[in-house]
């Protein structure tokens, strides 16, 4: 089916025949992908195709699944010991004498934890990337610890995971699961996956699904009870481990992996805002992380390039584009993402400062950083930028529409030219960014996030900032609408509303209705006031990263922005009275 | 620069004296930096500087040696002056450090700052390279006799343009420089919070004299620095900070009342480690 160009072979072991598929150059490091339940090796088709460009990729159908034969009898044929025999047989066949890089999803990961923690596979595994499948032994200890020393939090964790494991109990009933899978459930499963798990349709799952699922029930029956009752005490990983945790997993909670460092000392953590079937829904990101990890371990580094900043687990290797990145909040945001290990594109209309930002980004930890000189209000230039970024760097994972200019002065003194300028940059710049990069994200269909820099002025009326506030209010509403539209595609949209932040927006702002000398005086005065307030742009950047991680809708950042937001909801009349005051300039 | 015009009250021989002690201090910094190893504490590094200079006859100090490691080079989280004093922070591989000392030798004062790192630290290398523009800017504007406060603001602007934070603002009074002078040699010279009392007395006398004449021995962002550079010896110390890494240099700028711009201000010595380093990079 979907594994195009795969070379097939059969490996005979322990009374079964395993169907093994190989892709890519056999001279490259070997990556073995192990599928979960109820799946066959085809669950990896998207990831395998991406990895095959760099590695020798091997997939096999677990015994009883896909085209591999099932053991006779089924009971006792699916123990982790047998599955380890299978893995070793495959590894010896495809990569004799050289350790393989192991990747497991769901039950593939559960098995692989066994492979990577038992003595007899030592030297056969170079690295292990785990997603959505804990070691049953670690899980057993996890439960024991929580039962024997309960605290409210631990009880909560136990109950939470207990509820998420509902299907495990069902699978332990005799015969019924088999009947359901071979009957109505097997027929409806593709639709359920599409609706609840947002797995794109197409040629997955394969027609072998009912038999896979029926046989696979024995994975649970043969292993779960014995292992949870008597977990091994020596289940330490003997290879570096990369743990990918989908945050929206309906079957496994994040807390399962607390203290995993005890079992896997060389651990790299990654998190992903996605549901359980990440090999189908996020193949680009997985392939990138697997590639980075394999290359790092082959190069002798025990963990992937360790970005030190906060949220490195989330943004490591992601592509982030920030407009207005030459100074202020934009530059601070680029640097914060860079510290988290993201690849960054710094866009500014001033080439020099954009280049400077990119250079600093590389110094603080960005694996790659580029500078692009574009005026965000220029539609054609933005279109060209979007094309260039997609062609050269890839689809943007996080877009920050931050470029903006200031304009103060009474409405009656504001010329149409002033209006046009401020709307062109503050509103149209955001529209172009969302339109072009948002479309790329939506078409890729693997999620993403858009952050728009609005302002506290978006909800605080004032007689001195009519044009600026109007443009920012539009940005805020645009963000809210877009958030509703893109939610179904896994793309989050956040609006950041900083208050008075100490950046150079004051010294470049236009003051309508006054002469150049007076304008200069006001610029200096406002710069001084902002300097006295002294709220650093770095803190706004932290709020941006947090907003993406938590997928927050509207984020007021400073105390005045938060207070103003509360007042705009509960005491709008007071705000209107304040809006009439002349600013102290 | 040996033919330089000396500022009032300092002869060519005196300039030589200042130059010698500044060289001695930089030698000390380089010697101590070469001995730093993982696990050495800030206190240990300060002690090493003190001992090295003591062995070479230094008995009095403008201030005792400081040492800052890691994010303390950027004064991260500094709120009270006591935090400047060396701590038990241990040096690790790749960590940035700054050594800062102000010995008095044969009555001449030096005040130097030396930035480096244990093993490669590309970020601090970049900061150090970017300090060159500040050294040029300060000299150029002092020669133009711009008010010190405005020069301070221009340095600030250049730092912001480079993307860095001004960290000399954390020093007492936010100074980028202060005057240094000859100090009478006494057998006993007690210290107050790490500062030599003789030197403090000199600074206080300058402050009183300057207050009457409309200038200040402290070069700060405040109104009392709103005057053209006063002749004398200024220890200039621009200090850059960037996300937990800092870099500075400190050396003496000689200001005279000569009408010739070249002679009106010059660095006491151009053969200092950071200048040599910039020359090598080119």
């Amino acid at each position: 089916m979907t594994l195009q160009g795969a070379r097939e072979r059969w490996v005979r072991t322990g009374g079964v025949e395993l169907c093994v598929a190989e892709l890519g150059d056999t001279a490259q490091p070997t990556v073995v992908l192990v599928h979960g339940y109820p799946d066959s090796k085809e669950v990896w088709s998207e990831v395998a195709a991406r990895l095959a460009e760099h590695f020798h990729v091997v997939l096999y159908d677990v015994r009883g699944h896909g085209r591999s034969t099932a053991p006779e009898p089924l009971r006792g044929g699916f123990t982790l010991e047998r599955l380890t025999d299978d893995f070793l047989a495959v590894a010896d066949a495809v990569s004799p004498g050289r350790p393989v890089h192991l990747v497991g999803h769901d039950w593939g990961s559960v098995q692989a934890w066994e492979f990577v923690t038992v003595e007899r596979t030592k030297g056969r595994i170079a690295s292990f990337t785990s997603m959505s499948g804990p070691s049953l032994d670690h899980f057993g200890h996890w439960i024991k610890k929580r039962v024997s020393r309960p605290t409210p939090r631990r009880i909560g964790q136990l109950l939470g995971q207990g509820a998420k494991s509902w299907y495990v109990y069902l699978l332990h009933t005799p015969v019924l699961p088999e009947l359901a899978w071979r009957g109505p459930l097997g027929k409806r499963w593709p639709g359920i996956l599409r609706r609840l798990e947002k797995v794109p349709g197409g040629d997955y799952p394969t027609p072998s699904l009912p038999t896979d699922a029926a046989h696979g029930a024995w994975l649970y029956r043969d292993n779960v009870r014995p292992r949870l009752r008597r977990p091994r005490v020596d289940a330490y990983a003997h290879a570096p481990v990369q743990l990918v945790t989908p945050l929206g997993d309906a079957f496994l909670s994040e807390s399962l992996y607390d203290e995993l460092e005890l079992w896997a000392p060389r651990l790299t953590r990654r998190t992903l805002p996605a549901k359980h079937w990440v090999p189908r829904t996020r193949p680009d990101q997985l392939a990138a992380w697997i590639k980075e990890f394999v290359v790092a371990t082959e190069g002798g580094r025990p963990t992937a390039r360790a970005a030190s900043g906060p949220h490195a687990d989330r943004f490591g290797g992601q592509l982030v584009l920030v407009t207005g990145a030459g100074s202020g909040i934009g530059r601070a945001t680029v640097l914060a993402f860079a510290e988290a290990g993201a690849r960054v594109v710094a866009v500014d209309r001033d080439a020099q400062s954009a280049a400077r930002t990119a250079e600093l980004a590389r110094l603080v930890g960005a694996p790659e950083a580029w500078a692009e000189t574009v005026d965000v209000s220029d539609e054609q230039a933005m279109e060209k930028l979007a094309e260039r970024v997609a062609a050269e760097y890839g689809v943007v994972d996080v877009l920050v529409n931050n470029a903006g200019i200031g304009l103060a002065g009474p409405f009656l003194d504001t010329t149409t030219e002033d209006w046009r300028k401020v709307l062109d940059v503050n509103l149209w710049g955001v529209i172009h960014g969302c339109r072009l990069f948002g479309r790329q994200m939506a078409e890729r269909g693997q999620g993403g996030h858009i952050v728009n820099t609005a302002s506290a002025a978006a909800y605080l009326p004032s007689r001195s900032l009519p044009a600026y506030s109007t443009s920012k209010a539009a940005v805020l509403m645009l963000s809210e609408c877009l958030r509703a539209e893109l939610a179904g595609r896994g793309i989050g949209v956040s609006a950041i509303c900083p208050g008075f932040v100490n950046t150079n927006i004051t010294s470049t702002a236009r003051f309508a209705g006054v002469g150049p000398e007076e304008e200069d005086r006001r610029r200096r005065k406002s710069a001084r006031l902002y300097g006295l307030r002294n709220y650093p742009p770095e803190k706004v950047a932290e709020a941006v990263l947090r907003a993406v991680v938590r997928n927050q809708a509207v984020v007021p950042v400073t105390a005045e922005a938060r207070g103003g937001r509360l007042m705009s909801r509960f005491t709008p009349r007071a705000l209107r009275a304040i809006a009439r005051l002349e600013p102290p300039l | 620069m040996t033919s330089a015009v000396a500022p009032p009250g300092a002869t060519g021989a005196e300039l030589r004296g200042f130059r010698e002690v500044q060289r001695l201090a930089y030698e000390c910094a380089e010697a101590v930096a070469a001995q730093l190893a993982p696990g050495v504490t800030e206190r240990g590094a300060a002690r090493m500087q003190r001992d090295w200079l003591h062995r070479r006859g230094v008995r009095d100090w403008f201030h005792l040696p400081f040492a800052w490691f890691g994010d303390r080079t950027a004064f991260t989280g500094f709120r009270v002056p006591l935090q400047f004093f060396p701590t038990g922070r241990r040096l690790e591989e790749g960590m940035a450090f700054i050594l800062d000392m102000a010995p008095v030798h044969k009555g001449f004062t030096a005040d130097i700052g030396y930035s480096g790192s244990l093993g490669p630290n590309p970020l601090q290398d970049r900061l150090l390279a970017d300090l060159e523009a500040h050294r040029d800017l300060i000299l150029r504007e002092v020669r133009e006799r711009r008010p010190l406060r405005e020069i301070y603001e221009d340095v600030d602007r250049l730092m912001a343009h480079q993307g860095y934070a001004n960290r000399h603002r954390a020093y007492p009074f936010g100074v980028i420089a202060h005057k240094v002078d000859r100090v009478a040699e006494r057998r006993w010279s007690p210290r107050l919070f790490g500062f030599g009392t003789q030197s403090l007395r000199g600074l206080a006398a300058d402050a009183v004299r300057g207050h009457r004449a409309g200038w200040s021995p402290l070069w700060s962002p405040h109104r009392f620095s709103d005057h053209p550079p006063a002749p004398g010896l200024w220890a200039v110390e621009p200090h850059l900070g960037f996300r937990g890494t800092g870099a500075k240099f400190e050396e003496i700028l000689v200001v005279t009342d000569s009408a010739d711009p070249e002679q009106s201000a010059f660095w006491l010595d151009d053969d200092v480690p950071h200048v040599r380093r910039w020359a090598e990079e080119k």
Side-chain angles (χ1 to χ4, degrees):
Chain A
M1 60 150 269
T2 46
L3 293 169
Q4 277 173 358
R7 308 176 289 276
E8 266 185 19
R9 67 160 101 185
W10 295 85
V11 172
R12 196 181 300 270
T13 162
V16 295
E17 264 193 299
L18 301 175
C19 175
V20 180
E22 290 174 77
L23 294 157
D25 180 1
T26 50
Q28 297 301 319
T30 303
V31 179
V32 178
L33 308 171
V34 190
H35 70 80
Y37 175 89
D39 283 318
S40 58
K41 63 182 182 305
E42 280 72 17
V43 73
W44 289 114
S45 60
E46 296 286 330
V47 176
R50 287 162 174 80
L51 289 176
E53 292 168 24
H54 314 281
F55 305 115
H56 173 215
V57 180
V58 176
L59 316 92
Y60 68 95
D61 285 322
V62 173
R63 50 170 60 202
H65 296 68
R67 289 159 61 203
S68 295
T69 58
E72 285 283 347
L74 291 170
R75 179 189 297 274
F78 286 88
T79 57
L80 288 168
E81 291 75 19
R82 298 268 176 117
L83 298 168
T84 310
D85 294 341
D86 291 356
F87 161 71
L88 281 173
V90 172
D92 288 340
V94 297
S95 174
R98 193 174 171 189
V100 301
H101 297 270
L102 194 55
V103 180
H105 172 247
D106 188 89
W107 254 94
S109 170
V110 177
Q111 296 179 44
W113 271 113
E114 172 81 2
F115 308 161
V116 84
T117 55
V118 293
E119 199 60 28
R120 58 189 170 126
T121 57
K122 238 180 194 169
R124 297 298 294 131
I125 300 171
S127 79
F128 168 40
T129 298
S130 158
M131 52 199 88
S132 294
S135 153
L136 289 181
D137 301 304
H138 301 166
F139 191 15
H141 289 294
W142 186 88
I143 294 173
K144 279 200 168 153
K145 188 170 174 186
R146 276 153 187 76
V147 171
S148 60
R149 303 201 155 186
T151 64
R153 164 177 299 180
R154 286 178 174 176
I155 294 170
Q157 289 174 344
L158 261 183
L159 293 177
Q161 182 56 47
K164 285 183 170 188
S165 298
W166 56 271
Y167 63 99
V168 180
Y169 319 133
L170 291 185
L171 283 168
H172 278 82
T173 55
V175 193
L176 283 179
E178 279 88 340
L179 286 177
W181 278 113
R182 291 188 197 278
L185 186 55
K187 236 176 254 131
R188 302 238 171 92
W189 187 246
I192 294 173
L193 277 186
R194 249 198 316 282
R195 258 197 326 282
L196 295 182
E197 287 286 327
K198 311 284 178 202
V199 173
D203 37 19
Y204 169 86
T206 52
S208 65
L209 170 77
T211 359
D212 299 344
H215 288 158
W218 288 100
L219 288 169
Y220 292 86
R221 294 168 187 161
D222 276 351
N223 296 301
V224 171
R225 270 185 298 179
R227 283 304 175 106
L228 292 191
R229 209 173 291 149
R230 265 183 296 281
R232 285 164 48 214
V233 290
D234 59 346
Y236 296 100
H238 47 66
V241 178
Q242 170 172 243
L243 176 76
V244 179
T245 313
L247 299 175
D249 199 315
F251 309 109
L252 298 157
S253 46
E254 266 181 272
S255 62
L256 278 181
Y257 306 109
D258 293 353
E259 300 174 352
L260 189 59
E261 278 83 357
L262 295 178
W263 298 107
R266 291 172 288 171
L267 182 70
T268 304
R269 286 176 185 268
R270 308 283 194 189
T271 58
L272 201 55
K275 297 193 168 196
H276 182 77
W277 265 273
V278 279
R280 302 308 303 177
T281 56
R282 299 285 184 273
D284 282 348
Q285 184 65 75
L286 288 187
W289 279 341
I290 294 167
K291 181 184 163 212
E292 196 191 334
F293 194 60
V294 170
V295 170
T297 34
E298 285 284 317
R301 273 181 290 151
T303 54
R305 179 203 295 268
S308 56
H311 310 302
D313 57 334
R314 169 71 189 274
F315 298 115
Q318 291 209 325
L319 183 63
V320 178
L321 184 141
V322 181
T323 68
S327 60
I329 296 173
R331 176 176 274 177
T333 304
V334 167
L335 297 176
F337 276 113
E339 277 182 347
R343 303 179 299 135
V344 292
V345 185
V347 180
D348 200 279
R349 61 178 172 180
D350 178 37
Q352 234 186 345
S353 44
R356 178 86 193 166
T357 303
E359 188 191 348
L360 293 174
R362 275 190 293 271
L363 285 172
V364 297
E368 291 172 295
W370 304 275
E372 294 283 352
T373 315
V374 173
D375 181 347
V376 293
S377 64
D378 182 340
E379 182 176 344
Q380 283 174 350
M382 282 295 276
E383 274 171 11
K384 276 195 198 126
L385 173 73
E387 280 169 27
R388 197 164 53 241
V389 167
E392 288 174 22
Y393 320 137
V395 176
V396 171
D397 294 298
V398 179
L399 165 71
V400 184
N401 287 306
N402 164 75
I405 53 171
L407 171 61
F411 174 79
L412 292 179
D413 292 337
T414 309
T415 63
T416 49
E417 190 46 39
D418 287 336
W419 270 101
R420 204 163 288 135
K421 256 192 208 149
V422 77
L423 289 179
D424 273 352
V425 176
N426 290 8
L427 179 56
W428 275 103
V430 175
I431 295 176
H432 291 317
C434 292
R435 200 169 57 85
L436 298 161
F437 293 102
R439 179 176 301 281
Q440 289 178 6
M441 281 181 200
E443 279 172 359
R444 178 180 63 164
Q446 297 184 35
H449 203 102
I450 298 175
V451 179
N452 294 329
T453 307
S455 164
Y459 45 78
L460 297 177
S462 121
R463 63 182 293 169
S464 58
L465 292 168
Y468 181 76
S469 305
T470 306
S471 70
K472 290 300 188 182
V475 170
L476 181 59
M477 185 47 82
L478 170 65
S479 310
E480 295 262 31
C481 296
L482 201 58
R483 183 179 173 87
E485 179 177 336
L486 297 180
R489 298 173 184 260
I491 300 172
V493 181
S494 304
I496 304 291
C497 301
F500 301 109
V501 178
N502 194 7
T503 71
N504 65 351
I505 193 168
T506 44
S507 43
T508 56
R510 163 119 180 79
F511 288 79
V514 297
E517 246 170 59
E518 174 65 10
E519 181 169 44
D520 207 42
R521 196 191 65 77
R522 289 191 184 190
R523 275 180 189 160
R524 259 180 298 148
K525 184 87 189 279
S526 53
R528 227 194 47 237
L529 289 175
Y530 275 56
L532 282 176
R533 170 76 181 85
N534 202 17
Y535 195 90
E538 286 75 20
K539 280 192 166 180
V540 184
E542 284 168 25
V544 170
L545 267 68
R546 212 164 39 233
V548 178
V549 169
R550 299 185 186 161
N551 192 15
Q552 292 165 304
V554 181
V555 184
V557 181
T558 57
E560 63 271 16
R562 281 197 300 275
R565 178 113 173 120
L566 278 178
M567 286 179 77
S568 73
R569 283 175 169 183
F570 301 111
T571 59
R573 284 173 59 133
L575 273 190
R576 282 179 206 129
I578 296 171
R580 295 183 180 198
L581 300 176
E582 281 278 6
L585 282 180
Chain B
M1 288 284 178
T2 39
S3 66
V5 178
T11 62
E14 281 183 316
L15 281 189
R16 253 197 310 285
F18 280 110
R19 199 171 295 130
E20 267 166 27
V21 60
Q22 179 166 301
R23 287 212 172 153
L24 183 70
Y26 266 119
E27 263 174 50
C28 168
E30 289 185 312
V32 170
Q35 290 173 37
L36 291 179
V40 174
T41 62
E42 289 182 351
R43 284 200 196 94
R47 162 70 58 186
M48 283 154 80
Q49 298 173 55
R50 227 173 129 171
D51 291 349
W52 196 96
L53 287 168
H54 191 87
R55 282 199 296 277
R56 282 153 187 84
V58 170
R59 293 294 177 273
D60 194 7
W61 303 83
F62 179 85
H63 66 71
L64 287 175
F66 290 106
W68 303 298
F69 294 169
D71 66 354
R72 283 174 47 84
T73 56
F75 301 154
T76 307
F78 278 32
R79 300 209 179 278
V80 292
L82 283 178
Q83 288 173 295
F84 286 106
F85 290 105
T87 66
R89 163 81 59 100
R90 286 181 189 282
L91 196 60
E92 291 164 21
E93 200 56 54
M95 229 185 211
F97 62 80
I98 295 179
L99 306 176
D100 188 314
M101 68 196 93
V104 177
H105 190 45
K106 298 179 186 161
F108 298 101
T109 312
D111 193 347
I112 64 133
Y114 180 89
S115 308
S117 57
L118 188 66
N121 184 326
L123 180 53
Q124 204 202 25
D125 288 350
R126 183 73 240 180
L127 288 165
L128 265 171
D130 287 331
L131 273 171
E132 186 177 11
H134 292 278
R135 195 172 186 264
D136 298 343
L137 173 93
I138 290 167
L139 182 60
R140 189 174 62 245
E141 299 202 343
V142 167
R143 282 177 175 171
E144 289 166 6
R145 288 289 181 264
R146 299 268 310 279
L148 294 182
R149 190 187 184 190
E150 282 181 22
I151 303 178
Y152 190 103
E153 284 167 3
D154 285 346
V155 170
D156 247 15
R157 258 190 288 276
L158 178 56
M159 285 186 180
H161 184 74
Q162 290 173 332
Y164 303 138
N166 159 359
R167 294 314 293 150
H168 46 264
R169 194 175 277 277
Y171 293 128
F173 303 101
V175 295
I176 188 173
H178 56 82
K179 275 196 73 176
V180 293
D181 223 326
R182 294 205 59 170
V183 173
E185 282 184 280
R186 295 274 162 81
R187 192 169 307 155
W188 186 64
S189 163
R191 282 174 291 272
L192 197 62
F193 292 111
F195 284 82
T197 43
Q198 300 291 339
S199 305
L200 284 181
R201 247 173 66 188
L203 209 55
D206 258 354
V208 172
R209 209 172 329 126
H211 185 70
R212 291 187 193 130
W215 58 272
S216 159
L218 300 176
W219 180 344
S220 78
H222 306 298
R223 201 162 300 150
F224 61 72
S225 288
D226 213 352
H227 59 79
L233 273 66
W234 291 83
V236 183
E237 44 182 338
H239 192 146
L240 301 176
F242 180 66
R243 303 184 94 82
T245 303
K248 74 177 279 189
F249 68 78
E250 180 166 15
E251 56 176 311
I252 286 176
L253 178 71
V254 184
V255 180
T256 71
D257 44 15
S258 162
D260 175 10
E262 287 274 310
Q263 295 295 329
S264 70
F266 51 87
W267 296 105
L268 177 64
D269 193 351
D270 275 320
D271 188 21
V272 287
H274 45 276
V275 176
R276 285 199 296 270
R277 187 187 163 112
W278 295 330
E280 276 166 28
E281 277 165 8
K282 272 168 199 161

